[in-house]
Amino acid sequence: MKTALNRRSFMKNGITAAGAGLLASGSPLFADDDQDERRRGISRGDAALLRFAAAAETLETDFWVQYNELGGVQDKEEPDGNGNSAYTDALSQLDSDMAQYIHDNTDDEFTHQSFLNAYLVSKGAEPVNLEPFRTLKGSTASGSSGKLRLTNLMQLTLDTSWWTRYRSDTNNPDLDPNFVFPQAIPTLASGQHTAIPRTDADTTDPNFLQAIANTAAFHMPTVEQGGISLYSAMAQRASSVEVLRILVSIGPTEAMHFQTWQDKAGNAPTLTNVKDPVTGVTVTFPDLNSSPFGGETFQTNLIMPEPCPFLSRKLPPCSVVRPTETRGIAMNVVNFLTSMGLFIGQQPAFFNLLTQLAREADAARREIRED
C-alpha cells in the first residue's frame, strides 16, 4: 500500500469530484436500486458499511496526524509538522516510545481510509470524501503544520468509563445497558480539555503541559476502544464474505491500538487540580491503584479484558469485546464522537452527512449470498 498508492493524493484527487458532487446535490450516497453494485459483487448494505467505516477512519486519521505533527515521528511516511519538543517530552513521561507508537498508529489509520475507499471504487461504489469539511483551525504551537482540520482536539470531554467496563467481571453493556460504569478520570468527563498544546503558551508551565499529555493519553484509547466495537458490530451485518473479511481484518488492529494506549494511559503521572490558564477548567489525574480507586476495577496493569457475562448469564463468563450489540452501532458512534467534542466548530452539513452515512450503515442487513 505504501509504495503502490500515495495516500494523500488519492484522498485529495481521486475521490474529490465524486464526493463533492454528492455533497453539493444532497442526493443519497447510493441509488435506491443497488443492481449496479450487486453486479460488481457488493450489495447496497455492504457498501454502506464500508462507507461509514471509511468516514470513521478519515476522521481518525485527521486527529492522529495532529498528534504526530506535535508529538510523534515526522518522516517520509508522516511528513507533516516538525514536532514540539516540550510536548514530546511530556508524552514520554508515559512511555519512552510514545512518539514511535503515535507515528505507527497514524500510519495505520491512513492505510485504513485509503484501502476502504479504494475498495469501494474498485467495486463501482461511491467512496467517502470529507475534504470539503476541512475547515477547523488547529494548534498554532511550534511544530504544527497549521493545516486546516476535520477534528478538534482542543475542547474534549472524555468518557473514560471504558476503563472500568473492560475490568468488570460482572457487567457487560450488551446485557446491562443501564448499568453505569465508573469513570477512571472523573474530571475529564466534564468541561472541555485540550489534548495538544493550543499555542506555545501552553508549553511554558510543565505541570499544565503534563496535564495536556495525560489528556491525550486517555483520549487515544477512548477512541480506539470505540473502533473495536464498531467493527465487531458491523461485521455481523455484512453479506459478502469479502466485506466480512475486511471488517474482521481491520477491527483487530483497533484492538492492538487500544491495548497499547490503555497501557500508556495507566502510566499517566498523578496531578491534582491543574488549572487551564485559558478556560479555568481544572483536571485531576489520580493514582488509580490507590483509594478511593484501586482494586481490579481500576488496577493499571490489567490491560487484558476481564472475563464477563456474554450473550447470556446462563453461560460461563468470557473475555470479549464489549459492547458488540449491532443495532444502531453507527449512529451510536456518531453520537459518541460528537459528545466528545471532537467536532466542535463543524458546520451543519458535516453532521448531516455523518448522520446519513450512519443511518445507511445501520440499515444494512445480512443476506445469504454466494461469493
Side-chain angles (χ1 to χ4, degrees):
M1 177 65 77
K2 292 176 187 174
T3 57
L5 179 67
N6 182 305
R7 299 172 304 212
R8 292 166 178 77
S9 65
F10 174 84
M11 294 304 296
K12 275 188 154 184
N13 304 321
I15 64 176
T16 297
L22 289 164
L23 291 167
S25 67
S27 62
L29 292 176
F30 48 75
D32 290 336
D33 184 354
D34 64 343
Q35 290 182 352
D36 288 342
E37 288 186 343
R38 282 188 180 280
R39 279 198 293 270
R40 295 177 176 88
I42 186 171
S43 71
R44 182 173 67 178
D46 281 355
L49 292 171
L50 295 185
R51 270 189 284 268
F52 185 77
E57 295 290 355
T58 301
L59 295 169
E60 203 173 1
T61 300
D62 180 76
F63 75 70
W64 276 111
V65 166
Q66 296 178 63
Y67 279 131
N68 195 75
E69 287 183 9
L70 296 170
V73 176
Q74 302 81 40
D75 58 14
K76 63 181 180 180
E77 290 182 332
E78 304 302 335
D80 293 339
N82 299 300
N84 184 292
S85 59
Y87 181 59
T88 303
D89 288 345
L91 288 169
S92 71
Q93 300 306 305
L94 291 89
D95 191 291
S96 60
D97 290 323
M98 282 287 285
Q100 186 62 52
Y101 294 155
I102 289 172
H103 170 281
D104 291 349
N105 207 138
T106 307
D107 195 46
D108 285 356
E109 307 308 347
F110 258 122
T111 65
H112 290 168
Q113 69 165 13
S114 296
F115 176 86
L116 288 166
N117 270 316
Y119 181 83
L120 285 164
V121 170
S122 77
K123 296 297 183 180
E126 294 290 351
V128 171
N129 175 37
L130 299 181
E131 288 303 305
F133 302 109
R134 192 173 295 282
T135 59
L136 302 183
K137 293 181 179 180
S139 169
T140 60
S142 298
S144 171
S145 68
K147 294 180 178 180
L148 294 177
R149 316 293 184 178
L150 294 169
T151 58
N152 184 344
L153 291 180
M154 299 180 290
Q155 294 175 272
L156 299 176
T157 304
L158 300 183
D159 179 353
T160 57
S161 63
W162 53 265
W163 183 282
T164 54
R165 184 193 337 135
Y166 269 96
R167 287 162 173 76
S168 173
D169 58 6
T170 56
N171 296 101
N172 181 333
D174 286 332
L175 295 177
D176 311 299
N178 296 320
F179 181 80
V180 178
F181 292 91
Q183 297 284 332
I185 312 296
T187 52
L188 285 180
S190 62
Q192 295 178 347
H193 308 269
T194 185
I196 54 175
R198 296 160 296 201
T199 66
D200 284 337
D202 283 344
T203 66
T204 58
D205 178 354
N207 212 38
F208 178 58
L209 184 58
Q210 191 61 57
I212 294 175
N214 287 7
T215 299
F218 277 90
H219 175 243
M220 294 169 181
T222 296
V223 174
E224 298 297 336
Q225 60 84 30
I228 308 170
S229 291
L230 174 65
Y231 279 98
S232 297
M234 290 201 305
Q236 299 170 57
R237 293 176 174 264
S239 297
S240 162
V241 171
E242 190 168 72
V243 171
L244 176 62
R245 181 180 180 184
I246 291 171
L247 295 173
V248 300
S249 296
I250 294 178
T253 67
E254 304 292 340
M256 296 177 195
H257 299 161
F258 171 54
Q259 189 171 46
T260 298
W261 299 122
Q262 180 183 192
D263 185 35
K264 304 316 157 198
N267 296 333
T270 59
L271 298 168
T272 303
N273 293 329
V274 179
K275 186 176 181 179
D276 185 323
V278 175
T279 66
V281 173
T282 61
V283 64
T284 291
F285 292 89
D287 179 356
L288 295 175
N289 293 305
S290 300
S291 180
F293 299 93
E296 287 192 351
T297 305
F298 291 95
Q299 192 172 331
T300 57
N301 64 354
L302 294 181
I303 61 171
M304 312 291 181
E306 289 295 299
C308 69
F310 180 52
L311 298 182
S312 170
R313 292 189 184 279
K314 296 179 180 179
L315 297 171
C318 186
S319 180
V320 293
V321 170
R322 61 260 209 175
T324 55
E325 170 59 58
T326 186
R327 287 174 296 183
I329 180 61
M331 191 61 69
N332 287 343
V333 167
V334 171
N335 292 335
F336 170 68
L337 296 177
T338 301
S339 64
M340 183 185 296
L342 201 61
F343 307 139
I344 290 176
Q346 274 292 359
Q347 53 196 286
F350 171 83
F351 294 101
N352 291 340
L353 176 59
L354 282 191
T355 298
Q356 181 181 347
L357 288 167
R359 286 175 176 167
E360 291 168 351
D362 284 337
R365 296 292 183 270
R366 179 167 172 76
E367 304 171 11
I368 304 300
R369 302 177 57 200
E370 293 184 6
D371 290 85

